[in-house]
Amino acid sequence: MPRIVIKLSGSYINPVQPPSAIESFARVIKEVLSMGFQAGVVVGGGPTARSYISSARALGASQALCDHLGILSSRMNAFLLISSLGEAAYPVPPTSIEEALQAAASGKVVVMGGLQPGQSTNAVAAVLAELISAETLINVTTVDGVYSEDPKKVPTAKLYKKLSYSQFAEILSIRREEAGKYDLFDTVALNVVSRSKILVRIISGEPPENIIRVLRGEDIGTLISPT
Ligand code: UTP
């Protein structure tokens, strides 16, 4: 059975979104299952995480505590997706590697949030991909791929169709990583996908059906691979 991990930006799965928007992602995930894939899903913290982190930071909380609030937020968002998936999903977001393994053994869709401070949910998605031997990690975000510059600021910015891990690392040129401010991908996520040669496909979640297009073999977004 082909295996994939889908990382959903917390911008799509949060309590401010209309329930129908979250249901659209749940429908797509069920379609992925009916196509014969085993899928693991990781949900980001989105605006929930950012609002807790900025409040806690202003109150003097440590980086680790701010990260922890991001983790809790991503787990609450994961519960929203689990609610919409119903019986198809394992009922609780695993909080450790051991729980993730147990959840995966149930045969249900594992939906996770964060795991530990010092990384983003992209690192969780990369580790989950290793755990379930997924070949591809689909990163469903709010941009339609990796650009040479910020396309919102530079209209001539170029969309990269394909990048190697090292080209991707160079473009990100990760300098400072802190609670609520990890880039499109973080250092841990990069290291994990490159050591296990997990393909990464970065796409927009608008519409959610883009996930199906990727699994049907369409070349959308940016593909990140060993070479
Ligand atoms: P993310 O940054 O992954 O979610 O987690 P997001 O903001 O929704 O990002 P996108 O849109 O999915 O890319 C929110 C915060 O939770 C903490 C970090 O502080 C992160 O910025 N976090 C998350 C951790 O500390 N460890 C984790 O394993 C996951």
Side-chain angles (χ1 to χ4, degrees):
M1 189 187 274
R3 291 161 188 189
I4 51 145
V5 168
I6 301 168
K7 156 72 208 301
L8 295 179
S9 166
S11 311
Y12 293 123
I13 314 289
N14 65 68
V16 177
Q17 293 296 308
S20 59
I22 298 174
E23 279 163 357
S24 315
F25 280 99
R27 239 190 335 270
V28 163
I29 291 164
K30 285 183 181 168
E31 193 174 336
V32 168
L33 301 180
S34 69
M35 288 167 78
F37 286 89
Q38 185 192 335
V41 181
V42 178
V43 178
T48 323
R50 275 185 287 280
S51 103
Y52 269 96
I53 290 168
S54 67
S55 176
R57 186 172 275 138
L59 294 166
S62 64
Q63 287 281 2
L65 180 56
C66 289
D67 270 339
H68 186 63
L69 294 175
I71 293 167
L72 293 176
S73 306
S74 62
R75 287 187 193 148
M76 289 195 287
N77 290 341
F79 269 117
L80 294 180
L81 185 65
I82 287 171
S83 302
S84 186
L85 282 166
E87 283 294 301
Y90 190 75
V92 184
T95 59
S96 69
I97 301 298
E98 290 181 18
E99 286 177 15
L101 285 170
Q102 273 167 346
S106 72
K108 303 230 176 200
V109 182
V110 180
V111 183
M112 297 184 72
L115 278 181
Q116 72 250 329
Q119 61 177 40
S120 75
T121 48
N122 285 306
V124 177
V127 167
L128 183 60
E130 283 193 333
L131 288 175
I132 67 166
S133 306
E135 182 191 298
T136 306
L137 161 50
I138 304 178
N139 186 322
V140 184
T141 180
T142 51
V143 284
D144 56 1
V146 182
Y147 281 84
S148 53
E149 281 145 299
D150 183 349
K152 286 176 196 134
K153 292 183 195 143
V154 185
T156 53
K158 177 175 161 248
L159 171 73
Y160 296 110
K161 295 297 297 170
K162 196 174 181 307
L163 291 169
S164 65
Y165 298 132
S166 54
Q167 285 170 325
F168 186 39
E170 211 169 293
I171 288 165
L172 290 176
S173 63
I174 297 164
R175 284 193 193 94
R176 188 171 159 80
E177 294 184 321
E178 58 181 14
K181 292 180 186 160
Y182 296 89
D183 211 328
L184 196 54
F185 228 59
D186 63 88
T187 314
V188 179
L190 258 175
N191 289 342
V192 172
V193 295
S194 57
R195 74 181 178 185
S196 293
K197 300 191 170 48
I198 296 159
L199 303 178
V200 181
R201 174 76 70 168
I202 297 186
I203 57 166
S204 164
E206 286 167 60
E209 287 72 21
N210 277 346
I211 297 168
I212 306 290
R213 290 173 65 195
V214 169
L215 296 178
R216 291 208 176 115
E218 271 188 56
D219 184 19
I220 57 169
T222 304
L223 175 67
I224 298 145
S225 60
T227 51

